[in-house]
Amino acid sequence: MIDKIINTCVLGASGYTGADFIRLAARHPHVHISALTAHSHAGREMAEVFPHLATLDLPRLTTLDEVDFSGIDAVVCGLPHGTTQKIIAGLPDSVKIIDMSADFRLRDTQVYEQTYGKPHQASELQKSAVYGLTELNRADIKNTRLVACPGCYPTAVLLALSPLLGNKVILADDIIIDAKSGITGAGRGLKQNTLFSEAGEGLSAYGVAVHRHSPEIEQELTKAGGHDVVANFTPHLVPMSRGELVTCHVKLAHGTSADDLRQSLAEHYYGEPFMHILAPNTYPATQHVRGSNQCHIGVFADRIPGRAIVIAAIDNLVKGSAGQALQNFNVMFEIEETTGLEQLPIFP
Amino acid sequence: MIDKIINTCVLGASGYTGADFIRLAARHPHVHISALTAHSHAGREMAEVFPHLATLDLPRLTTLDEVDFSGIDAVVCGLPHGTTQKIIAGLPDSVKIIDMSADFRLRDTQVYEQTYGKPHQASELQKSAVYGLTELNRADIKNTRLVACPGCYPTAVLLALSPLLGNKVILADDIIIDAKSGITGAGRGLKQNTLFSEAGEGLSAYGVAVHRHSPEIEQELTKAGGHDVVANFTPHLVPMSRGELVTCHVKLAHGTSADDLRQSLAEHYYGEPFMHILAPNTYPATQHVRGSNQCHIGVFADRIPGRAIVIAAIDNLVKGSAGQALQNFNVMFEIEETTGLEQLPIFP
Amino acid sequence: MIDKIINTCVLGASGYTGADFIRLAARHPHVHISALTAHSHAGREMAEVFPHLATLDLPRLTTLDEVDFSGIDAVVCGLPHGTTQKIIAGLPDSVKIIDMSADFRLRDTQVYEQTYGKPHQASELQKSAVYGLTELNRADIKNTRLVACPGCYPTAVLLALSPLLGNKVILADDIIIDAKSGITGAGRGLKQNTLFSEAGEGLSAYGVAVHRHSPEIEQELTKAGGHDVVANFTPHLVPMSRGELVTCHVKLAHGTSADDLRQSLAEHYYGEPFMHILAPNTYPATQHVRGSNQCHIGVFADRIPGRAIVIAAIDNLVKGSAGQALQNFNVMFEIEETTGLEQLPIFP
Amino acid sequence: MIDKIINTCVLGASGYTGADFIRLAARHPHVHISALTAHSHAGREMAEVFPHLATLDLPRLTTLDEVDFSGIDAVVCGLPHGTTQKIIAGLPDSVKIIDMSADFRLRDTQVYEQTYGKPHQASELQKSAVYGLTELNRADIKNTRLVACPGCYPTAVLLALSPLLGNKVILADDIIIDAKSGITGAGRGLKQNTLFSEAGEGLSAYGVAVHRHSPEIEQELTKAGGHDVVANFTPHLVPMSRGELVTCHVKLAHGTSADDLRQSLAEHYYGEPFMHILAPNTYPATQHVRGSNQCHIGVFADRIPGRAIVIAAIDNLVKGSAGQALQNFNVMFEIEETTGLEQLPIFP
């Protein structure tokens, strides 16, 4: 295994998740970056598009059409939803696919169509996709060819709540997920509301009840809980670049306490290298996971009897996207799971 | 009334709320700032302590003992809780008091003692204090000598929820208040967690279930709803200086909708100069009220049937403290209520 | 004068300088905002484009063509350079024009063409334009019909250096202007480098030697000094929304000291309401002028004998643009110069 | 060499530079962290003091007295200046010392006393100290027992200017260093001016002509240039946590151009793993080196004939302190110099 080299192509290398995958993969001993695509930047060097990667020796950016997939072992996709379904469906069987986009996350392609506004173009392939939340789905990820990496919000929410629903220590009704994300969550596209002068020194909610991560969260909470879950999901845009905090307000199952929840999570994640269940009265903070693949979770009793608050913090670009993609990559290629992901959080 | 001049003393002029009161009052045609106290800065000029006020002609900072209250009409108190109860109790009857501290907010002095950790030292005076949420309590404020201005969080929460509870369009149980504040909410004292390098580019919750604003919120929601309310209150620290957003997750009363809630608030606040109920699908944002006394409220349907989300945005130092203090000052001295508070939000 | 009302049209109301002019003018007792134009937003309400102004009763945004200039007394232009020269040239003589764009700042239309890349389209009108740095040019502003308000950087630089050159206490050679601006200086247009995630938590220089404010600075320094000045101008982009600091490294004239410079400025600006020359060892800071029309200047001795450092701080959108425009407006219409500009800096 | 383990003690582990050294060293295959001291936090776990390091298995914090230096190979000191001179002087000869404090940087202990306000307490030891700017002093660092790591500002300035002075392509007079630093440069101590609400959304200069890094810069520029250098040094505090940019305004030697300077630097640093000389018209930006040990340098022609601008960007905590300390550590212990420092910049 020492000299195993995986030839890897990154689709969408001019976006934040693509670039963060490259940042991590460039120091991974078994990854060779063989091709990089970026539609509107084809022909340019990565150094021009992402100067922080200028010291790397990377292939020039190309269009999708220019990629020769014959020598490629792995495709990592960081493109906007809906743009690569056909291409991915047409890849040789020998290529493993780690998709960071939303294309294969929703099992029901009708829900996909309702959520993303157009019919799914690779519904057959969808059936073989595995939902790539590594800690909760490791065995299936290992044996699949196509991993649909979760959205950043679902990653944090499901890491916090799925084991609790599975263990029946919380109830499935009235789950309130008050979520907060840094601005990179909106991507590198040009939008007025993500300009520094618009988003800085300010805070607002957005996408209440209609955010595209809602069906994804509900799909997986339903799976964990064993019956249909409809959950509140209220995201907010926070003036920071990286980081995501989900504050989940839940009902305790009869006879359980916040301490039981914490204990349940600690047991569930025992031995997991990236999961850190915090001691009582200790608050997760996004600045304490920044740049790393870690997820910190804290549990708190509520003033309202019978309720608790479960809070999870991740870096939305790492554990919420590129880091988890690399973690899945390691699982799929039978490489030690922490390889390339050893970086500690960078604070301050 | 044109030449009415109110001689005003500000206690605690070296804190953020004291300074912001001065910023506003300095342009108020009926306020004369006669004395400024600041314990540890006594003897210094305001220009040294707050260089942004250097162009004003202000009295030198003094100790409390140095103030001659005989010519003072109004005392505005921006001191930490518990430090002025005796002094305020000893002021001449002719002085009106606008207290921005927490000292007289809780009607039950036993709750005060539990919350603030020491016995109340002016429990007789407490009985005559009026809770100074102007829009909800204007008549009483007009006729009192002592106004206890609400905390910043309670201001936003109560403006959003009290009329809805009063009108019985929402239920009093299971109220989840997920709140977010800028760093000025923690004051100007030196604390590690409010250093730029600790708070910047990060987000965390704090004080879950034990924050001192909880009893205050519950006291007033109980009053509005007519029976005991215990509410979830989960504050978060956001990397911005000013601004506060409260995201209130509530249950709809039988037969009501999110639209009904919006309509109820719009009717309740009709004609109020600082209240702005937003159109459907419009999100309150702290950057759109910054520096002003405005409160923006939006109402949203939840994915969970029978629930809604009510979101309010204020500037924590203005409507959440110094601005509301000046608004109460105007009411108490029978001055046009918007005087000195006409400043529009400053954006970006 | 009490009931003098100036019917005012703002061109380019969807940009930051246009909006900030409206923020200030809306509270100005003699301004009536009669028309607002915004090419790509025509037909919309200001509340949609700038929600912080939603509580104002403003005319709907229109195209330029829709404006009836017959009842207009003043036009304030906040459009990108080059887009209104012909329109302004065609306005009735009765209309006074305060131009916040760069169109009429450069007296030599050949320099204009070199700098802005296209021929000037109103070169006759240019001859009558007055450079609108109020403190240095008040008499001419009072008697003109067309004021070209300075760029934000030139405002700060010239307020700091012009009187010193005029008084011959500094030399005209080797002037190094190391300038720093908040992100609003780049406007509201969509550019990748002004996204929150690109500009936040970072710092870089830009436009070294080629920035369009260089010829403007040199034109006015030349005028102040009496002979040709070529100056270094090195702007930097700082992760804050508002604020501009220019650090000017200059050579002392023979026999003068940093203290002489400070004294010279203090005398020159004596009685000026917006100019504040700081005491020795006191540093100007952009956060201490934020939101106000003030300019703070500090002077410091250098370690290198015969040199000094002159530092000026302004709010780039106020004194650097919209505030100075309103100040010029007041001068042109013989209104008390501070009217509408009394707002104190907002800190924190 | 594969199994070489260096037992390392970090003095001052509760400060930012100490913590950042641990962040890097924890992933270094040859470092074993044997002891951590932190005066006021003795007895506590690092997880309490720096929660981002909570997943590491680190020794408990102790006082200096509790450290048994007998098994220690290396001491890395991150303490405030003046606090460890005696202790370091008393360490066994077998211990190598990498000092990130200012204690041994100034060769002339009289200059030290003038600069730091107290006599040097280990002036004999000072004579054997090597100034630890790795790229400029590698040979001496390899053969010494005590390395005085440069200050963050001197690191950036000297990397930019020393080779140019040495190659005589710039002149030694009238060097203007306009420097900008993120807030971590002020350390973790509690100071009002580094509170989020004071430093955020603002910018100011500080320490003009008297900053303690001035004598250090002049000492090393003098060494590089071969005769006495007195330089302007004007630092500014920028609202970001990490990052440092120095904008050096210099005079070209007769007959040289900005392009010659760029070429000279490129040749000087050829093969250096952390030095990156940018192409013409490319601007260094602190966000493109964040979290890494890289230094990016750009050179620009000035509008003033005969002058140029040399700009360098580093992460003040990494190349400006902890990273360079680890780089020196590697040199001293004959380990591949990039070990533990491979992390790419983290952007955004």
Side-chain angles (χ1 to χ4, degrees):
Chain A
M1 205 183 86
I2 283 295
D3 33 37
K4 181 193 296 192
I5 292 296
I6 318 293
N7 286 309
T8 303
C9 168
V10 179
L11 309 182
S14 62
Y16 289 145
T17 57
D20 226 34
F21 183 85
I22 295 165
R23 173 179 72 91
L24 298 167
R27 296 297 185 241
H28 189 296
H30 304 302
V31 176
H32 178 250
I33 294 173
S34 306
L36 298 174
T37 79
H39 187 67
S40 57
H41 295 284
R44 301 179 70 191
E45 298 286 356
M46 269 301 270
E48 298 169 67
V49 178
F50 280 113
H52 71 296
L53 300 177
T55 56
L56 294 176
D57 186 22
L58 291 170
R60 193 175 283 269
L61 295 167
T62 68
T63 63
L64 258 171
D65 294 343
E66 295 174 75
V67 180
D68 172 8
F69 284 102
S70 66
I72 300 291
D73 303 304
V75 164
V76 175
C77 177
L79 284 161
H81 66 85
T83 57
T84 53
Q85 288 162 0
K86 276 190 177 163
I87 288 138
I88 285 182
L91 288 176
D93 279 359
S94 58
V95 178
K96 295 192 180 184
I97 301 136
I98 297 103
D99 188 4
M100 302 190 290
S101 86
D103 279 12
F104 295 95
R105 292 175 191 160
L106 295 173
R107 270 185 294 277
D108 183 333
T109 51
Q110 286 202 291
V111 175
Y112 177 88
E113 186 169 345
Q114 285 158 23
T115 307
Y116 291 93
K118 43 187 165 183
H120 202 284
Q121 299 181 294
S123 50
E124 274 311 299
L125 185 58
Q126 163 57 41
K127 291 173 190 163
S128 69
V130 167
Y131 190 74
L133 194 52
T134 330
E135 283 77 7
L136 303 180
N137 233 358
R138 190 175 278 123
D140 288 345
I141 293 164
K142 194 169 181 174
N143 297 313
T144 192
R145 194 188 141 239
L146 168 58
V147 167
C149 296
C152 51
Y153 284 125
T155 295
V157 170
L158 299 172
L159 287 172
L161 299 188
S162 286
L164 300 177
L165 275 175
N167 279 343
K168 307 207 178 303
V169 288
I170 63 169
L171 303 184
D173 64 309
D174 258 352
I175 294 177
I176 311 285
I177 303 164
D178 197 286
K180 298 94 180 169
S181 175
I183 317 284
T184 53
R188 205 184 201 190
L190 301 181
K191 295 171 209 152
Q192 192 180 73
N193 73 323
T194 59
L195 292 177
F196 186 94
S197 301
E198 304 279 325
E201 274 285 307
L203 179 74
S204 60
Y206 69 101
V208 168
V210 299
H211 193 285
R212 286 165 169 175
H213 285 175
S214 271
E216 186 184 336
I217 289 169
E218 290 173 354
Q219 165 184 293
E220 297 298 313
L221 289 182
T222 293
K223 184 182 164 200
H227 50 83
D228 276 4
V229 174
V230 175
N232 166 305
F233 177 61
T234 310
H236 298 76
L237 204 58
V238 177
M240 59 186 185
S241 287
R242 283 176 186 253
E244 203 159 84
L245 193 86
V246 295
T247 308
C248 307
H249 303 275
V250 297
K251 284 186 182 168
L252 295 164
H254 184 71
T256 67
S257 69
D259 288 339
D260 294 332
L261 270 51
R262 190 182 306 106
Q263 183 63 21
S264 177
L265 288 169
E267 285 169 13
H268 188 89
Y269 290 123
Y270 181 78
E272 286 288 349
F274 301 116
M275 300 302 298
H276 186 49
I277 310 305
L278 303 184
N281 299 313
T282 307
Y283 290 96
T286 64
Q287 56 269 59
H288 296 150
V289 298
R290 183 168 47 222
S292 83
N293 202 48
Q294 295 183 15
C295 174
H296 291 189
I297 302 181
V299 184
F300 304 87
D302 198 337
R303 289 174 77 85
I304 305 180
R307 299 194 67 103
I309 302 145
V310 186
I311 306 177
I314 60 169
D315 182 315
N316 56 308
L317 291 182
V318 187
K319 183 60 182 168
S321 187
Q324 184 156 254
L326 189 54
Q327 190 179 355
N328 288 330
F329 177 104
N330 287 338
V331 171
M332 293 166 86
F333 287 97
E334 300 188 33
I335 296 164
E336 173 66 34
E337 195 171 314
T338 56
T339 309
L341 296 167
E342 303 89 349
Q343 289 203 9
L344 290 164
I346 182 165
F347 173 86
Chain B
M1 204 183 85
I2 284 294
D3 33 37
K4 182 193 294 191
I5 293 295
I6 318 294
N7 286 309
T8 303
C9 168
V10 179
L11 308 182
S14 63
Y16 289 144
T17 57
D20 226 34
F21 183 85
I22 294 166
R23 174 179 71 92
L24 298 167
R27 296 298 186 241
H28 188 298
H30 303 302
V31 175
H32 177 250
I33 293 172
S34 307
L36 298 174
T37 78
H39 187 67
S40 58
H41 295 284
R44 301 178 71 192
E45 297 287 355
M46 269 301 270
E48 297 169 68
V49 177
F50 280 113
H52 72 296
L53 300 178
T55 57
L56 294 177
D57 186 21
L58 292 170
R60 193 176 282 268
L61 295 167
T62 68
T63 63
L64 258 171
D65 294 344
E66 294 175 75
V67 180
D68 172 8
F69 285 102
S70 65
I72 299 291
D73 303 305
V75 164
V76 175
C77 177
L79 285 162
H81 67 85
T83 57
T84 52
Q85 288 162 0
K86 276 190 177 163
I87 286 137
I88 285 182
L91 288 176
D93 280 358
S94 57
V95 177
K96 296 193 179 183
I97 302 136
I98 297 103
D99 189 5
M100 301 190 289
S101 87
D103 279 13
F104 295 95
R105 292 175 192 161
L106 295 173
R107 271 185 292 278
D108 184 332
T109 50
Q110 285 201 291
V111 176
Y112 177 87
E113 186 169 346
Q114 286 158 24
T115 308
Y116 290 93
K118 42 187 166 183
H120 202 284
Q121 298 182 295
S123 51
E124 273 311 300
L125 186 58
Q126 164 57 41
K127 291 172 191 165
S128 69
V130 167
Y131 190 74
L133 194 52
T134 329
E135 282 78 7
L136 303 180
N137 233 358
R138 190 175 277 123
D140 287 345
I141 293 165
K142 193 169 182 174
N143 296 314
T144 192
R145 196 188 139 237
L146 167 58
V147 166
C149 296
C152 51
Y153 284 125
T155 295
V157 170
L158 299 172
L159 288 172
L161 299 187
S162 286
L164 300 177
L165 275 175
N167 279 343
K168 307 206 179 303
V169 288
I170 63 169
L171 303 185
D173 64 309
D174 258 351
I175 294 176
I176 311 285
I177 302 163
D178 198 285
K180 298 93 180 169
S181 175
I183 317 285
T184 53
R188 206 184 199 189
L190 302 180
K191 295 170 209 152
Q192 192 180 73
N193 72 323
T194 58
L195 292 178
F196 186 94
S197 301
E198 305 279 325
E201 274 284 309
L203 179 74
S204 60
Y206 68 101
V208 169
V210 298
H211 192 285
R212 285 166 169 173
H213 285 175
S214 271
E216 186 183 335
I217 289 169
E218 289 174 353
Q219 165 184 291
E220 297 298 313
L221 289 182
T222 293
K223 184 181 164 201
H227 49 83
D228 276 4
V229 173
V230 175
N232 166 305
F233 178 60
T234 310
H236 298 75
L237 205 58
V238 177
M240 60 186 184
S241 286
R242 282 175 186 253
E244 203 159 83
L245 193 87
V246 294
T247 308
C248 306
H249 304 276
V250 296
K251 284 185 182 168
L252 295 164
H254 184 70
T256 66
S257 69
D259 288 339
D260 294 333
L261 269 52
R262 189 182 306 106
Q263 184 62 23
S264 177
L265 288 168
E267 285 168 14
H268 188 89
Y269 290 124
Y270 181 78
E272 286 288 349
F274 301 116
M275 301 302 299
H276 186 48
I277 310 305
L278 303 184
N281 299 314
T282 308
Y283 290 96
T286 64
Q287 56 269 60
H288 297 151
V289 298
R290 182 168 48 223
S292 83
N293 202 48
Q294 295 183 15
C295 174
H296 291 190
I297 302 181
V299 184
F300 305 87
D302 198 338
R303 289 174 78 84
I304 305 180
R307 300 193 66 103
I309 302 145
V310 187
I311 306 178
I314 61 170
D315 181 317
N316 57 306
L317 291 182
V318 188
K319 183 58 181 170
S321 187
Q324 184 156 252
L326 188 55
Q327 190 179 355
N328 288 330
F329 177 103
N330 287 338
V331 172
M332 293 166 85
F333 287 98
E334 301 187 33
I335 297 164
E336 173 67 34
E337 195 171 315
T338 56
T339 309
L341 296 166
E342 302 89 348
Q343 289 203 9
L344 289 164
I346 181 165
F347 173 86
Chain C
M1 204 181 87
I2 284 293
D3 34 35
K4 182 194 293 193
I5 293 296
I6 319 294
N7 286 309
T8 304
C9 167
V10 180
L11 308 182
S14 63
Y16 289 144
T17 57
D20 226 33
F21 183 85
I22 295 166
R23 174 179 70 92
L24 298 167
R27 296 296 185 241
H28 188 298
H30 303 302
V31 176
H32 177 250
I33 295 173
S34 307
L36 299 174
T37 79
H39 188 66
S40 58
H41 295 284
R44 300 178 71 192
E45 297 287 353
M46 269 301 269
E48 297 169 68
V49 178
F50 280 112
H52 72 295
L53 300 178
T55 56
L56 294 177
D57 185 22
L58 292 170
R60 194 175 281 269
L61 295 168
T62 68
T63 62
L64 257 170
D65 294 344
E66 295 175 73
V67 180
D68 172 8
F69 286 101
S70 65
I72 299 290
D73 303 304
V75 164
V76 175
C77 177
L79 284 161
H81 65 85
T83 56
T84 51
Q85 288 162 359
K86 276 189 176 165
I87 288 140
I88 285 182
L91 288 176
D93 280 358
S94 58
V95 177
K96 297 194 178 183
I97 301 136
I98 297 102
D99 189 5
M100 303 190 288
S101 87
D103 278 13
F104 295 95
R105 291 174 192 162
L106 295 173
R107 271 186 293 277
D108 184 332
T109 51
Q110 286 202 291
V111 175
Y112 177 88
E113 186 169 345
Q114 287 158 23
T115 307
Y116 290 93
K118 43 187 166 183
H120 203 284
Q121 298 182 295
S123 51
E124 274 311 300
L125 185 59
Q126 163 57 40
K127 291 173 188 162
S128 70
V130 167
Y131 190 74
L133 194 52
T134 329
E135 282 77 8
L136 302 179
N137 233 358
R138 190 174 278 124
D140 288 345
I141 292 164
K142 193 169 179 171
N143 296 312
T144 192
R145 196 188 139 239
L146 168 57
V147 167
C149 295
C152 51
Y153 284 125
T155 295
V157 170
L158 300 171
L159 287 172
L161 300 188
S162 286
L164 300 177
L165 275 174
N167 279 345
K168 307 204 179 304
V169 288
I170 62 170
L171 303 184
D173 64 309
D174 258 353
I175 294 176
I176 311 285
I177 302 163
D178 197 285
K180 297 94 180 168
S181 175
I183 316 284
T184 53
R188 206 184 199 190
L190 301 181
K191 296 170 208 152
Q192 191 180 75
N193 73 323
T194 59
L195 292 178
F196 187 94
S197 301
E198 304 280 324
E201 273 286 309
L203 179 74
S204 60
Y206 68 101
V208 168
V210 299
H211 193 284
R212 285 166 168 174
H213 286 174
S214 271
E216 186 184 335
I217 289 169
E218 290 174 354
Q219 165 184 291
E220 297 298 313
L221 289 181
T222 294
K223 184 182 165 201
H227 49 84
D228 276 4
V229 173
V230 175
N232 167 305
F233 177 61
T234 310
H236 298 75
L237 204 58
V238 176
M240 60 187 185
S241 286
R242 283 175 185 252
E244 202 159 84
L245 194 87
V246 295
T247 308
C248 307
H249 304 275
V250 296
K251 284 184 181 169
L252 296 164
H254 184 71
T256 67
S257 69
D259 288 338
D260 294 333
L261 270 51
R262 190 183 306 106
Q263 183 63 22
S264 177
L265 288 169
E267 284 168 14
H268 188 89
Y269 290 124
Y270 180 79
E272 286 288 350
F274 301 115
M275 301 302 299
H276 186 49
I277 310 305
L278 303 183
N281 299 315
T282 307
Y283 290 95
T286 64
Q287 56 268 61
H288 297 150
V289 299
R290 182 169 47 224
S292 83
N293 202 48
Q294 295 184 15
C295 174
H296 291 190
I297 302 181
V299 184
F300 305 87
D302 198 337
R303 290 174 77 85
I304 305 178
R307 300 194 65 104
I309 302 145
V310 187
I311 306 178
I314 61 169
D315 182 316
N316 57 306
L317 290 183
V318 188
K319 184 59 182 170
S321 187
Q324 186 156 249
L326 188 55
Q327 191 180 356
N328 288 330
F329 177 103
N330 287 337
V331 171
M332 293 166 85
F333 287 98
E334 301 188 34
I335 296 164
E336 172 67 34
E337 196 171 313
T338 55
T339 309
L341 296 166
E342 303 89 349
Q343 289 203 8
L344 290 165
I346 181 165
F347 173 86
Chain D
M1 205 183 85
I2 285 293
D3 33 36
K4 182 194 292 191
I5 293 296
I6 318 294
N7 286 309
T8 303
C9 168
V10 179
L11 308 182
S14 62
Y16 289 144
T17 57
D20 226 33
F21 183 85
I22 295 166
R23 173 178 72 92
L24 298 168
R27 296 297 185 241
H28 189 298
H30 304 302
V31 175
H32 178 250
I33 295 173
S34 307
L36 298 174
T37 78
H39 187 66
S40 57
H41 294 285
R44 300 179 71 191
E45 297 287 355
M46 269 301 269
E48 297 169 68
V49 177
F50 280 113
H52 72 296
L53 300 178
T55 56
L56 294 176
D57 186 21
L58 292 170
R60 194 174 281 269
L61 296 167
T62 68
T63 63
L64 258 170
D65 294 343
E66 295 174 74
V67 180
D68 172 9
F69 285 101
S70 65
I72 300 290
D73 303 305
V75 164
V76 176
C77 177
L79 285 162
H81 66 85
T83 56
T84 52
Q85 288 162 359
K86 276 189 176 164
I87 288 139
I88 285 182
L91 288 176
D93 279 359
S94 58
V95 177
K96 296 193 179 184
I97 301 136
I98 297 102
D99 189 5
M100 302 190 289
S101 88
D103 278 13
F104 295 95
R105 293 175 190 161
L106 295 173
R107 272 186 292 278
D108 184 332
T109 50
Q110 286 202 291
V111 175
Y112 177 88
E113 185 169 346
Q114 287 158 23
T115 306
Y116 291 92
K118 42 188 166 182
H120 202 284
Q121 297 183 295
S123 50
E124 274 312 299
L125 185 58
Q126 163 58 41
K127 290 172 190 164
S128 69
V130 166
Y131 189 74
L133 195 51
T134 329
E135 283 77 8
L136 303 180
N137 233 358
R138 189 175 278 123
D140 287 346
I141 292 165
K142 192 168 182 172
N143 296 312
T144 192
R145 196 189 138 239
L146 168 58
V147 166
C149 296
C152 50
Y153 284 125
T155 295
V157 170
L158 300 172
L159 287 172
L161 300 187
S162 287
L164 301 176
L165 275 175
N167 279 345
K168 305 205 179 303
V169 288
I170 63 169
L171 303 184
D173 64 307
D174 257 353
I175 294 176
I176 311 286
I177 303 163
D178 197 285
K180 298 93 180 168
S181 175
I183 317 285
T184 53
R188 206 185 199 188
L190 301 180
K191 296 170 207 152
Q192 192 180 74
N193 73 323
T194 58
L195 291 178
F196 186 94
S197 302
E198 305 278 324
E201 273 285 309
L203 179 74
S204 60
Y206 69 100
V208 169
V210 299
H211 193 283
R212 285 164 169 175
H213 285 174
S214 271
E216 186 183 336
I217 289 169
E218 290 173 353
Q219 165 185 291
E220 296 298 312
L221 289 182
T222 294
K223 184 182 165 200
H227 50 83
D228 276 4
V229 173
V230 175
N232 167 305
F233 178 61
T234 310
H236 298 75
L237 205 57
V238 177
M240 60 187 184
S241 287
R242 283 175 184 253
E244 202 159 85
L245 193 87
V246 295
T247 308
C248 307
H249 304 274
V250 296
K251 284 184 181 170
L252 295 163
H254 183 71
T256 68
S257 69
D259 287 338
D260 294 333
L261 269 50
R262 189 183 307 107
Q263 184 62 22
S264 177
L265 288 169
E267 285 169 13
H268 188 88
Y269 290 123
Y270 180 79
E272 285 288 350
F274 301 116
M275 301 302 298
H276 186 49
I277 310 305
L278 302 184
N281 299 314
T282 307
Y283 290 95
T286 64
Q287 57 269 60
H288 297 149
V289 299
R290 181 169 47 223
S292 83
N293 202 49
Q294 295 183 15
C295 174
H296 291 190
I297 302 182
V299 184
F300 305 87
D302 198 337
R303 290 174 76 86
I304 305 179
R307 300 194 66 104
I309 302 145
V310 187
I311 306 179
I314 60 169
D315 182 316
N316 57 307
L317 291 182
V318 188
K319 183 60 181 169
S321 187
Q324 185 156 251
L326 188 55
Q327 191 179 356
N328 288 330
F329 177 103
N330 286 338
V331 172
M332 294 166 85
F333 286 98
E334 301 189 33
I335 297 165
E336 173 66 34
E337 195 171 314
T338 55
T339 309
L341 296 166
E342 303 89 348
Q343 288 203 9
L344 289 165
I346 181 164
F347 172 86

